Amino acid sequence: MCGIVAAVSTRNIVPVLVQGLQRLEYRGYDSCGVAVYAGGLKRARSTSRVAELQAQVDAEKVEGGTGIAHTRWATHGAPAVHNAHPHFSHGPGDVAQKPGKVALVHNGIIENHEELRAALQAKGYVFTSQTDTEVIVHLMDSLYDGDLFEALKATVAQLHGAFAIAAFCKDEPHRVVGARAGSPLILGVGTGNSENFLASDAMALAGVTDQIVYLEEGDLVDLQLGKYWVINRDLKAVQRQVRTVHAHSGAADLGPYRHYMQKEIFEQPRAIADTLEGVEGIVPELFGDQAYRVFQDIDSVLILACGTSYYSGCTAKYWLESIAGIPTQVEVASEYRYRTSVPNPRTLVVTITQSGETADTLAALRHAQSLGMTQTLTICNVSTSAMVRECKLAYITRAGVEIGVASTKAFTAQLAGLFLLTLALAQSKGKLSDEEEGEHLKAMRHLPAAIAAVLALEPQVIAWSEDFAKMENALFLGRGMHYPIAMEGALKLKEISYIHAEAYPAGELKHGPLALVTSAMPVVAVAPNDSLLEKLKSNLQEVRARGGVLYVLADADSRLASGEGIHVIRMPEHYGTLSPLLHVVPLQLLAYHTALAKGTDVDKPRNLAKSVTVE
């Protein structure tokens, strides 16, 4: 979502700030801006791409050694230049329309912004935006008495909500301060005595520094030339570990592909292979040194996730209950954290998140921990994330950087990690024989080749997409562990093509959705040759009898054939328990090629962001 880059340096830091914003573009945003100290406060802001901001910076000669930059995903106030960050303070003594002392950027949401706004307006502060962020910069200005770090301490003490903040003051031009509470913020340690950095993501500093400090919840940081200080939520000085982090900016190269989403769909064989690299056998230690004891102590699983990750959890529920025999509950994180539930201290709480910084999932984890459920494990794609640090156990998927907002390779890598978890739990409960373990491992090792064969179906999927691009609605059907795959297919289509799409368990069709079926409502069915195939065929006949048009992903031996009103793509092979990983791939391709035919912004769909770090 929103992105922050900040620096204090002896050189003109603007090129680094703007380049950092470009590396954060994949997160999604609707405006961007940069501000520097240049004898006073100077800034450039845009509601276009960072490339346009760069042109503005060049034209207006925005230069300085101390600066902050931001990409914004609108929460308070429309996407407009006056709402774009950075924000400047406008105090009672400032000349109208000229900035005061403080420049600030902010990720997150301030829940008490209205009461703070009213109090500041009563003091004479002038507001020029509808954002909650402007409240912070005016509040810091009102509390400033010659020491910006002290003003930051006093400011955050009055804020309710989630935030990552970076700010500087024209009266202390070689200083940047920052704070983290509920939104990610990192410190980049520069070389020598010449510079230091703040950012919301290590990717923003790729090629600038690989020495990274991950600030913890409640930390405040004071950056100066060649030195920095960190204090914790209790306002005590702390030393945070400096890690060497190689953020690969090269991952942003498109290569021969038209869009990042297309590239990432085709990277799935490699992502699965990398995620399974080194797995020679099923042992609890795949998930951490304490895993054996934890797995022995638990009697149920609670999965917490959002969006696409939630659907991977829904798929894993079928595996965990059928293979490991462990009762499993899957909860939408944003709902679980606010409802009254019945805690079980012997539950393994599993979070699933691509970024490891998803605000709702982190909050749900902390809520579960507060209820006494301390056995925690995460399936995550970022080893240095807050989620990994806060969970007792972890399995790190190796999907690599995913830039397209609509998740593809991260989803299938999550499924691979969850299947390993299923096998490890089954083994710990005495439900996995050596023969079964060998068969499952053989099937997993074959997954990259199997997915590559599915990707070869792309020309057939393109033919389907030409029909879908003319539609306004679609239904997706699945049964058993393929129902969550139908939900994921519907989500992908609506995310990037803006076609309204919904998914249902096929058996629910006659309980309501059948009323919507006409020739203008395509129905996609995920139809593997499993024990539910004959039931699914009956559901498909219900669609045909109402004039509906079917698009079926069928296994080679399922005895389903194309004909009038039914279009069939045959999967290369039946893949049994792991077939969800294969069947989701043509649904990803369908969404991609439908969006391509409609001319939508595939990688940056409207109103959405990659990493959802606000509630």
Side-chain angles (χ1 to χ4, degrees):
M1 298 186 77
C2 302
I4 288 173
V5 193
V8 54
S9 177
T10 55
R11 58 171 164 156
N12 174 27
I13 207 64
V14 173
V16 171
L17 298 179
V18 174
Q19 184 182 60
L21 293 187
Q22 289 172 331
R23 289 180 174 149
L24 295 179
E25 280 192 288
Y26 76 95
R27 296 165 67 104
Y29 67 98
D30 45 51
S31 62
C32 53
V34 61
V36 295
Y37 174 76
L41 303 185
K42 188 172 184 178
R43 71 182 166 193
R45 299 183 290 179
S46 172
T47 55
S48 187
R49 295 281 184 239
V50 175
E52 195 280 333
L53 178 69
Q54 176 70 69
Q56 189 181 150
V57 162
D58 293 342
E60 298 177 11
K61 293 183 170 51
V62 178
E63 298 179 352
T66 299
I68 54 179
H70 191 263
T71 53
R72 174 179 185 253
W73 186 77
T75 55
H76 296 76
V81 170
H82 67 278
N83 287 326
H85 301 213
H87 287 288
F88 292 165
S89 60
H90 294 271
D94 298 330
V95 178
Q97 303 306 314
K98 287 193 176 181
K101 298 183 182 69
V102 182
L104 181 142
V105 293
H106 157 237
N107 293 349
I109 293 176
I110 305 304
E111 295 173 356
N112 60 332
H113 69 97
E114 291 179 345
E115 59 194 76
L116 291 173
R117 180 186 292 260
L120 289 162
Q121 286 175 325
K123 292 181 179 180
Y125 280 86
V126 178
F127 284 78
T128 61
S129 78
Q130 290 81 48
T131 68
D132 54 341
T133 302
E134 196 177 5
V135 168
I136 310 173
V137 72
H138 291 332
L139 180 60
M140 189 177 293
D141 182 285
S142 73
L143 296 169
Y144 181 76
D145 189 23
D147 188 321
L148 189 64
F149 197 54
E150 291 300 319
L152 177 68
K153 287 192 226 177
T155 297
V156 299
Q158 296 188 40
L159 301 180
H160 301 160
F163 51 82
I165 294 169
F168 72 91
C169 177
K170 72 175 184 180
D171 292 349
E172 300 176 79
H174 301 298
R175 190 181 203 183
V176 169
V177 298
R180 179 205 168 152
S183 290
L185 192 67
I186 63 154
L187 161 65
V189 182
T191 57
N193 295 314
S194 60
E195 57 192 16
N196 284 305
F197 306 89
L198 287 177
S200 53
D201 189 322
M203 175 70 78
L205 303 180
V208 178
T209 180
D210 60 3
Q211 299 301 292
I212 302 296
V213 175
Y214 288 89
L215 299 175
E216 297 187 10
E217 189 71 5
D219 280 356
L220 285 78
V221 60
D222 184 354
L223 268 62
Q224 298 185 31
L225 291 173
K227 51 191 175 181
Y228 64 87
W229 296 266
V230 179
I231 64 172
N232 63 16
R233 68 174 80 208
D234 298 322
L235 305 184
K236 297 188 183 301
V238 290
Q239 294 289 328
R240 299 293 185 216
Q241 180 184 359
V242 180
R243 308 179 187 219
T244 300
V245 176
H246 299 291
H248 300 294
S249 59
D253 296 334
L254 266 176
Y257 300 99
R258 294 183 64 179
H259 298 91
Y260 289 111
M261 183 179 179
Q262 183 189 29
K263 176 176 182 267
E264 288 151 12
I265 290 171
F266 279 84
E267 285 177 338
Q268 286 177 110
R270 178 61 183 271
I272 297 297
D274 288 350
T275 294
L276 299 177
E277 185 179 1
V279 178
E280 300 298 331
I282 301 301
V283 292
E285 287 71 24
L286 288 170
F287 299 87
D289 294 339
Q290 303 179 65
Y292 178 80
R293 181 185 59 78
V294 170
F295 290 176
Q296 291 295 315
D297 288 346
I298 62 101
D299 61 13
S300 62
V301 171
L302 170 63
I303 296 175
L304 304 172
C306 301
T308 285
S309 296
Y310 171 73
Y311 296 144
S312 70
C314 291
T315 306
K317 174 183 171 71
Y318 288 91
W319 292 335
L320 286 161
E321 295 197 338
S322 65
I323 298 173
I326 297 178
T328 301
Q329 187 175 359
V330 188
E331 296 256 9
V332 174
S334 58
E335 289 294 312
Y336 171 77
R337 62 184 288 199
Y338 289 118
R339 77 175 186 83
T340 302
S341 58
V342 181
N344 172 10
R346 297 194 64 192
T347 294
L348 177 64
V349 178
V350 177
T351 62
I352 311 171
T353 163
Q354 184 268 329
S355 68
E357 304 288 352
T358 307
D360 282 318
T361 310
L362 278 167
L365 169 69
R366 293 163 187 159
H367 176 64
Q369 291 170 324
S370 74
L371 296 176
M373 295 191 288
T374 59
Q375 310 288 33
T376 58
L377 181 151
T378 188
I379 305 292
C380 183
N381 197 48
V382 182
S383 62
T384 54
S385 64
M387 191 68 74
V388 174
R389 296 196 301 273
E390 294 188 26
C391 284
K392 187 176 291 185
L393 306 174
Y395 191 82
I396 308 302
T397 57
R398 299 181 185 176
V401 175
E402 189 176 64
I403 293 176
V405 166
S407 180
T408 52
K409 64 177 181 174
F411 175 74
T412 48
Q414 285 171 354
L415 289 177
L418 287 163
F419 194 72
L420 283 176
L421 176 61
T422 299
L423 298 182
L425 286 170
Q427 185 189 70
S428 73
K429 301 300 181 184
K431 295 182 179 294
L432 186 71
S433 68
D434 291 345
E435 182 181 359
E436 289 169 331
E437 177 183 342
E439 290 173 355
H440 286 308
L441 284 172
K442 180 180 178 182
M444 293 195 79
R445 292 188 185 109
H446 182 59
L447 273 172
I451 292 174
V454 175
L455 288 167
L457 299 173
E458 185 179 30
Q460 296 178 60
V461 178
I462 291 172
W464 281 16
S465 71
E466 292 169 357
D467 294 341
F468 276 74
K470 304 168 188 173
M471 303 299 177
E472 296 182 358
N473 303 280
L475 285 176
F476 286 70
L477 303 178
R479 297 201 76 134
M481 61 185 175
H482 294 90
Y483 167 48
I485 298 306
M487 290 195 287
E488 172 63 9
L491 177 63
K492 286 292 155 285
L493 190 67
K494 71 181 81 170
E495 276 183 305
I496 63 169
S497 74
Y498 315 145
I499 293 172
H500 173 248
E502 299 297 336
Y504 290 90
E508 283 293 291
L509 193 63
K510 53 183 164 295
H511 295 287
L514 197 57
L516 298 173
V517 171
T518 68
S519 59
M521 173 75 82
V523 178
V524 179
V526 183
N529 190 8
D530 58 17
S531 60
L532 292 172
L533 179 61
E534 294 307 317
K535 296 289 187 185
L536 179 60
K537 285 181 178 178
S538 297
N539 304 137
L540 301 185
Q541 289 302 320
E542 294 166 1
V543 173
R544 286 297 301 124
R546 274 77 180 177
V549 180
L550 288 163
Y551 294 81
V552 184
L553 292 172
D555 286 338
D557 53 357
S558 61
R559 299 187 305 280
L560 285 166
S562 295
E564 184 179 354
I566 180 168
H567 307 273
V568 177
I569 291 179
R570 296 194 179 282
M571 301 290 283
E573 57 184 308
H574 175 55
Y575 220 68
T577 308
L578 287 168
S579 68
L581 281 87
L582 273 64
H583 276 85
V584 75
V585 174
L587 298 181
Q588 296 168 347
L589 288 169
L590 176 62
Y592 171 73
H593 285 289
T594 301
L596 202 62
K598 293 192 68 177
T600 60
D601 192 337
V602 172
D603 290 328
K604 298 184 179 70
R606 67 189 182 203
N607 304 334
L608 300 180
K610 183 63 182 171
S611 180
V612 184
T613 54
V614 297
E615 184 178 352

